[in-house]
Amino acid sequence: MRIVVAGGGVAGVSTVAALRAGGFDGDLTLVDAGEFPYDRPPLSKEYLAGSRELKQIALQPPHWYDEQGVRLINECTVAALHPADGTVELAGGLLLRADRVVLATGGGAARPPIPGVGGDRVHVLRTAEDADRLRAALTPGARVLVVGAGLIGAEVASTAVDLGCDVVLADPVATPLAAALGEDLAAWLHRLHARRGITTVRAGVASFAETTDGIEASFVGGAEASFAGGVEPRTFDVAGPGVAAEPSRVFDAVVLGVGMTPQTALAESAGLDVDRGVLVDAGQITSNPAVLAVGDGARTRQGPRVEHWEAARHDGARAAATILGTRAPAPTAPWFWTDRHGRHVEVAGHMETADEVIVRGSFDDPSFSVFGLRDGLVVAAAAVDDSTAVRAARRMIDRRVPADPARLSDPSASLRTLLRG
Amino acid sequence: MTQGIRVAALDDIPEGEGVAIDKAITGTADDIALLRDTDGSVWALDDTCTHEDASLADGWVEDGYVECPLHSSKFCLKNGEVQGLPATRSTCPHRVEVRDGEVYLFPNQAP
């Protein structure tokens, strides 16, 4: 059997690795647009800061592909699928035989249709090339606007302030990540920005305009009048009805961290079902049984599209199991992490489904965590510099271990013991 | 050195957890994580995760594996083999013996 995997992100590489680990001995080809497959989380952190090089964030060491018998076709993309012919067409026209194809094409950084958004000073962050370009702009003293205070935006803001930039972080949402983290923890996390000297503005951007001095951003729904004169770190929150024309400010660089758009063009042109992602079943099979899809660009018919690193890794393992006809790993509670301002934050489960929230420790402690309960069971946890709490919580969620709120809230009570019941 | 270095009492290491032994004591390039599995057995691996700078002794030990506390890389306790991303390199195992409730470490010897 011949398999072609299109895309060398974590989903694609995990698919390939799981296929070989599961005993697949057929022909295996991985097509990737980059110099080699690399890990994306460091692009907003160590790689952007310049403390890690590209080869240090490779998803696999260079010799791995040879050792695993994987043909890596780099700096290339898949141009078209021809399932009826059993071929895949590469950019440049080369045809590869393929009995099964795995689409791991991910997505692109979203660029909302804001006037002026196409200017050279406006950055996104999805690839190493994006990061290289952005890093060149993050010079000490540079005036940087980050639009969007979610995971990517917050991490870029943190890295930029580390690099000595004068950073403004704008998001129209009062408390970014509130659904995923719970209101209190999300608010605490968002306040870290101001403590590090970042100006946070509750606002969106209406337009960008090139000036002789930089790029001017016009804010909507926020940014009170003192914005122009204020240089000290502060938080604005003046969104409200009746606020129309808002102040503007000039920046040297703008970074958009406003989400991603799934890359579905290949699937669409091959006639696959697409709806906000390439639609797949529980085994990652698309509407054509010869084609599977994994990672950020795929979505199960039952649920939302998930954009987290570990979800992509699990997709790869599931796709490999489907192809091999083996049992897929049992699903586990979703999990993601973010690193900003020297704090490591992890989240497991679905905090938005909790009907009770228990704080373990204090928000003033060096580490603490928050557990979300529903009907007496742990359904989510979020922790700051306490990965063990999230490790325990994931097991509690997956195994439906009854929660004891008193012990959960007591930092001196061992969660490992609690897990054992 | 054939007797190994006494590095801990067995009771010092709760099941499912680990303790780090300073490289000044072990004479190794890295600190060594003593890891106690959920079946009570004790294992030793280089302490620093091969993915990012985190201590495996702070990790989660369960069913033959240790999970890094930072980004969940997993390593086999017996031989240090990595079990999938984000880490891509295995880590170094060291021989351990438990005698009379005391844990003895044999740095740089195969388990």
Side-chain angles (χ1 to χ4, degrees), chain A residues 10 13-14 39 42 46 52 58-61 64 309-310 313 335 337 339 344 346 387-389 391-395 399 414-416 419-420, chain B residues 14-18 37-38 50-53 57-63 67-74 82-89:
Chain A
V10 65
V13 171
S14 293
D39 207 13
E46 301 93 332
R52 288 189 133 196
L59 276 169
Q60 298 288 359
W64 184 86
W309 187 96
E310 205 208 24
R313 189 168 68 105
W335 168 68
W337 76 86
D339 297 281
H344 176 68
E346 290 191 38
S387 301
T388 299
R391 299 277 172 285
R394 290 185 83 189
R395 287 161 173 81
R399 297 173 193 174
S414 163
L415 290 174
R416 297 172 197 259
L419 182 57
R420 283 177 210 128
Chain B
E15 284 183 12
E17 298 188 28
D37 202 353
T38 36
T50 61
H51 171 238
E52 281 202 24
D53 193 8
D58 293 334
W60 189 286
V61 189
E62 190 175 52
D63 298 338
E67 196 175 307
C68 174
L70 199 52
H71 296 138
S72 260
S73 294
K74 278 177 88 171
V82 66
Q83 304 291 310
L85 300 170
T88 60
R89 287 184 295 119

Side-chain angles (χ1 to χ4, degrees), chain A residues 160-197:
Chain A
V161 81
D162 286 345
L163 293 170
C165 301
D166 177 11
V167 182
V168 173
L169 178 60
D171 195 313
V173 173
T175 316
L177 301 176
L181 301 174
E183 183 70 31
D184 291 345
L185 179 55
W188 179 90
L189 201 59
H190 193 54
R191 282 198 297 272
L192 288 183
H193 295 304
R195 289 193 196 170
R196 292 282 323 284

Side-chain angles (χ1 to χ4, degrees), chain A residues 296-332:
Chain A
D296 285 357
R299 178 171 84 82
T300 61
R301 293 174 188 274
Q302 295 78 26
R305 204 164 40 73
V306 182
E307 298 174 5
H308 297 311
W309 187 96
E310 205 208 24
R313 189 168 68 105
H314 282 168
D315 277 6
R318 259 195 307 278
T322 297
I323 293 170
L324 295 165
T326 56
R327 182 188 292 266
T332 59

